């Protein structure tokens, strides 16, 4: 192992997705970067583990059953998330060309949970329905009745045509000075439709968005609509071999640009000078020096630089069947809006399986997550667990959520936020972009991505296999 007694421009502690994106971007910018992790693998909380490491992480001392097969067949994500096809993470991947290190597969579909009231010929009941991705699916969908579909279509046409810098597209409705709730009322949308749009399309975690500026809701719905059809009928993508490949890809980018990586290396101490600014780290008897240190919250706990803002519970469930009522989808997302089950925050289910090279044939990995609201977190997952039964095996953990107390400019110690319960990386990517601006003093320009055939066409859809592959 290389000695670390050197001076760097930046030291990064932890190889989670956020830390790896930042080290890759800063290395490309020409900075000398040292990147360490206490674990023997890349990814930190975003790692994808083989079956032995999964058991070691959740059941120390217990060996996985032989029937689970070989380690090479497993890549189980610790944090379940999908990637929005036109989201900021994909734009960063294209900007840095990290796409060339990864292969992707479209997620088969997104579903939403609804509680149906009793009708003339039916009892009240819970059901899941596919979020339409095409016009034909929208016509056939039973998410809403015929007249409501017409009202909903008017809303989506308005959003599709809306341009922030063109008042003529506002259609006598100004989203700058009205709330999302007022916008929904303008289009006379029913309560369940508002729930579906807010949580399954705009991807809000709670109903707080209804009291917020309508413009933000319009932008989120536009992102979802722009993502559909970009690389397939689904707005979501997932990397072959699991999410752990994304931080590894950015690590490779940093290494190509001179970054130094050391696994199994802990930051025993973050060093500060007399003025309170960081000057480096200490690991064992070695020290490395830099005027900027980036780390995940776990490296900063003892310095009282972060605050706990809540908890999230995540449960990895191994199944021997697809999730019922999803038309045997090999991958999907199910969103349970908070109001449908009497909660304050949504519950998320993500499903991946053998076509993604994450588990053996015949096995499905369903990952359930939500923000903890009570003293019995496991019980909060029951509405989701009831949808995916029976479960072969289950690995559940409660994670504390942390945020930095300051923006880091006072000490040059920049701390990332913990990963929330959402099923996508948009909030995580926003944290990265904000930190990049604070660290470098300039925004990362994602507006002028490569458009020529060689670069823009790096990502192809292979229709017969339903994934896009990057040409190295």
């Amino acid at each position: 192992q290389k000695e670390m007694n050197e001076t760097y421009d930046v030291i990064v502690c932890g190889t989670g997705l956020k830390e790896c994106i930042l080290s890759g971007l800063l290395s490309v910018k020409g900075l000398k970067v040292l990147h360490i992790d206490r674990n023997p693998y890349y990814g930190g909380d975003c790692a994808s583990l083989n079956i032995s490491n999964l058991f070691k992480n959740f059941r120390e001392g217990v060996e996985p059953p032989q029937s689970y097969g070989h380690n090479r067949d497993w890549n189980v994500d610790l944090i379940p998330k999908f990637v929005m096809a036109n989201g900021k993470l994909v734009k960063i991947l294209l900007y840095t060309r990290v796409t060339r290190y990864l292969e992707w597969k479209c997620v088969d579909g997104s579903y939403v949970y609804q509680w149906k009231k009793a009708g003339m010929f039916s009892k009240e009941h819970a059901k899941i329905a596919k979020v339409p991705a095409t016009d034909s699916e929208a016509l056939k969908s039973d998410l809403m009745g015929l007249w409501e579909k017409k009202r909903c279509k008017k809303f989506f046409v308005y959003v599709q045509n809306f341009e922030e810098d063109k008042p003529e597209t506002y259609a006598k409705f100004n989203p700058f000075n009205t709330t999302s709730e007022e916008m929904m009322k303008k289009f006379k949308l029913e309560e369940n439709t508002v729930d579906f749009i807010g949580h399954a399309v705009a991807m809000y975690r709670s109903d707080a968005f209804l009291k917020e500026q309508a413009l933000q809701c319009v932008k989120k719905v536009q992102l979802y609509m722009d993502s559909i059809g970009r690389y397939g009928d689904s707005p979501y993508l997932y990397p072959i071999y699991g999410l752990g490949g994304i931080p590894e890809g950015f690590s490779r980018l940093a290494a190509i640009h001179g970054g130094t990586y050391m696994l199994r290396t802990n930051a025993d101490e973050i060093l500060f000078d007399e003025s309170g600014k960081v000057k480096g780290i200490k690991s064992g008897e070695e020290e490395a020096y830099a005027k900027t240190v980036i780390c995940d919250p776990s490296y900063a706990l003892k310095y009282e630089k972060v605050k706990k803002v809540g908890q999230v519970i995540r449960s990895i469930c191994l199944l021997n069947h697809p999730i019922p009522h999803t038309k045997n989808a090999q991958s999907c997302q199910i969103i349970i809006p908070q109001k449908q089950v009497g909660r304050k925050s949504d519950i998320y289910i993500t499903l991946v399986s053998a076509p993604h090279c994450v588990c053996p044939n015949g096995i499905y990995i369903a990952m359930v997550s939500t923000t903890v609201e009570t003293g019995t977190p496991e019980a909060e997952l029951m509405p989701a667990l009831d949808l995916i039964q029976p479960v072969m095996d289950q690995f559940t953990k409660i994670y504390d959520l942390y945020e930095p107390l300051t923006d880091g400019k006072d000490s040059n110690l920049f701390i990332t936020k913990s990963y929330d319960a959402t099923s996508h990386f948009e909030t995580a990517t926003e944290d990265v972009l904000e930190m990049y601006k604070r660290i470098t003093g300039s925004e990362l320009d994602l507006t002028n991505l490569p458009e020529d055939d060689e670069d823009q066409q790096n990502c192809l859809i292979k229709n017969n296999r339903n994934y896009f592959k990057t040409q190295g």
Side-chain angles (χ1 to χ4, degrees):
Q1 175 159 331
K2 183 178 179 179
E3 291 187 0
M4 60 188 298
N5 294 318
E6 291 186 34
T7 299
Y8 300 84
D9 295 313
V10 181
I11 297 174
V12 183
C13 304
T15 55
L17 175 66
K18 296 181 183 182
E19 294 76 33
C20 286
I21 293 177
L22 286 167
S23 69
L25 291 172
L26 295 173
S27 295
V28 169
K29 198 173 177 67
L31 300 181
K32 184 179 179 181
V33 177
L34 169 66
H35 201 152
I36 68 169
D37 195 305
R38 63 172 73 94
N39 296 306
Y41 51 79
Y42 289 96
D45 286 341
C46 297
S48 300
L49 304 181
N50 62 38
I51 194 66
S52 293
N53 282 333
L54 182 69
F55 269 74
K56 184 177 180 180
N57 194 283
F58 286 87
R59 301 173 189 168
E60 184 70 44
V62 178
E63 293 294 322
Q66 289 188 353
S67 60
Y68 283 4
H70 302 287
N71 276 331
R72 64 175 178 268
D73 297 326
W74 293 88
N75 292 286
V76 184
D77 301 327
L78 290 177
I79 293 182
K81 291 186 185 289
F82 290 143
V83 179
M84 294 290 288
N86 199 40
K88 291 172 183 167
L89 179 54
V90 167
K91 291 179 179 179
I92 294 175
L93 287 163
L94 291 170
Y95 173 84
T96 57
R97 295 178 173 81
V98 170
T99 47
R100 67 189 128 175
Y101 308 135
L102 300 163
E103 292 182 3
W104 300 81
K105 184 170 172 55
C106 285
V107 176
D108 289 345
S110 181
Y111 293 78
V112 63
Y113 175 105
Q114 281 191 347
W115 185 261
K116 294 289 187 180
K117 296 180 180 178
M120 186 177 296
F121 303 106
S122 63
K123 297 180 180 180
E124 62 177 6
H125 63 284
K127 67 168 297 177
I128 59 172
K130 191 174 189 296
V131 179
T134 64
D135 289 343
S136 60
E137 285 185 356
L139 287 171
K140 297 175 184 176
S141 174
D142 58 357
L143 273 169
M144 59 194 78
L146 178 61
W147 298 111
E148 182 67 0
K149 284 180 182 177
K150 292 183 177 180
R151 290 188 289 268
C152 192
K153 181 180 179 180
K154 288 182 180 179
F155 170 77
F156 283 118
V157 170
Y158 166 76
V159 171
Q160 186 175 33
N161 294 333
F162 177 85
E163 294 184 47
E164 188 174 350
D165 57 351
K166 294 184 178 180
E168 61 268 25
T169 65
Y170 295 2
K172 298 181 181 180
F173 176 78
N174 191 338
F176 289 88
N177 54 23
T178 52
T179 65
S180 296
E181 186 174 41
E182 291 169 331
M183 178 174 65
M184 301 298 182
K185 286 180 179 178
K186 171 182 167 54
F187 288 92
K188 301 178 181 179
L189 299 176
E190 295 175 356
E191 186 176 355
N192 266 359
T193 305
V194 173
D195 225 28
F196 149 67
I197 292 172
H199 296 267
V201 178
M203 302 299 295
Y204 283 105
R205 287 175 281 172
S206 73
D207 278 349
F209 80 96
L210 291 170
K211 303 299 181 183
E212 298 170 356
Q213 185 190 50
L215 177 65
Q216 302 309 315
C217 182
V218 170
K219 288 182 175 180
K220 287 179 178 289
V221 175
Q222 283 183 332
L223 169 61
Y224 190 93
M225 294 172 72
D226 291 343
S227 294
I228 293 176
R230 186 165 180 81
Y231 299 112
D233 287 340
S234 170
Y236 297 105
L237 305 170
Y238 183 82
I240 303 294
Y241 304 113
L243 294 173
I246 304 179
E248 287 183 19
F250 282 101
S251 299
R252 184 174 177 182
L253 174 71
I256 289 172
H257 287 84
T260 300
Y261 278 80
M262 294 184 180
L263 299 180
R264 298 183 178 87
T265 303
N266 193 23
D268 298 320
E269 185 180 354
I270 298 176
L271 305 174
F272 297 87
D273 63 20
E274 296 80 5
S275 66
K277 292 188 177 293
V278 295
K279 63 177 185 179
I281 63 166
K282 184 174 183 179
S283 179
E285 298 301 316
E286 294 184 296
E287 293 183 356
Y289 305 101
K291 292 183 178 180
T292 300
V293 173
I294 301 168
C295 67
D296 71 46
S298 68
Y299 290 87
L301 287 174
K302 64 181 179 181
Y303 302 103
E304 298 182 350
K305 298 285 188 180
V306 295
K307 62 180 178 181
K308 182 178 174 181
V309 294
Q311 291 181 310
V312 61
I313 180 170
R314 299 187 177 100
S315 186
I316 300 168
C317 302
L318 304 185
L319 316 178
N320 59 6
H321 59 88
I323 296 177
H325 310 297
T326 61
K327 297 183 179 179
N328 295 322
Q330 300 298 293
S331 60
C332 68
Q333 167 189 249
I334 301 175
I335 297 171
I336 305 177
Q338 42 121 21
K339 187 183 295 181
Q340 302 291 328
V341 287
R343 289 175 49 79
K344 297 177 182 177
S345 52
D346 295 354
I347 306 173
Y348 301 93
I349 304 171
T350 60
L351 179 83
V352 289
S353 56
H356 310 87
C357 302
V358 294
C359 59
N361 285 318
I363 302 295
Y364 299 79
I365 304 174
M367 292 163 277
V368 183
S369 59
T370 192
T371 302
V372 174
E373 297 179 1
T374 71
T376 55
E378 289 84 357
E380 298 182 46
L381 298 181
M382 288 311 300
L385 295 176
D386 288 342
L387 295 176
I388 66 174
Q389 295 292 342
V391 174
M392 287 172 44
D393 209 341
Q394 189 172 355
F395 306 84
T396 304
K397 186 177 287 188
I398 299 169
Y399 300 82
D400 291 333
L401 300 179
Y402 294 99
E403 290 184 358
L405 289 171
T406 70
D407 62 9
K409 292 181 179 179
D410 56 339
S411 63
N412 289 336
L413 174 61
F414 297 93
I415 307 167
T416 57
K417 298 177 183 177
S418 301
Y419 296 90
D420 59 33
T422 54
S423 58
H424 56 81
F425 277 115
E426 286 305 293
T427 52
T429 311
E430 288 168 6
D431 187 28
V432 169
L433 294 174
E434 290 171 2
M435 290 186 66
Y436 180 86
K437 183 178 180 180
R438 294 200 302 269
I439 294 167
T440 66
S442 60
E443 292 186 0
L444 184 66
D445 184 7
L446 297 177
T447 59
N448 297 310
L449 298 176
E451 293 291 342
D452 56 86
D453 289 342
E454 181 180 354
D455 292 308
Q456 184 65 14
Q457 297 304 318
N458 260 350
C459 300
L460 313 170
I461 288 290
K462 293 210 170 180
N463 291 320
N464 60 327
R465 297 172 65 185
N466 196 33
Y467 71 83
F468 77 93
K469 180 178 180 180
T470 316
Q471 305 302 301

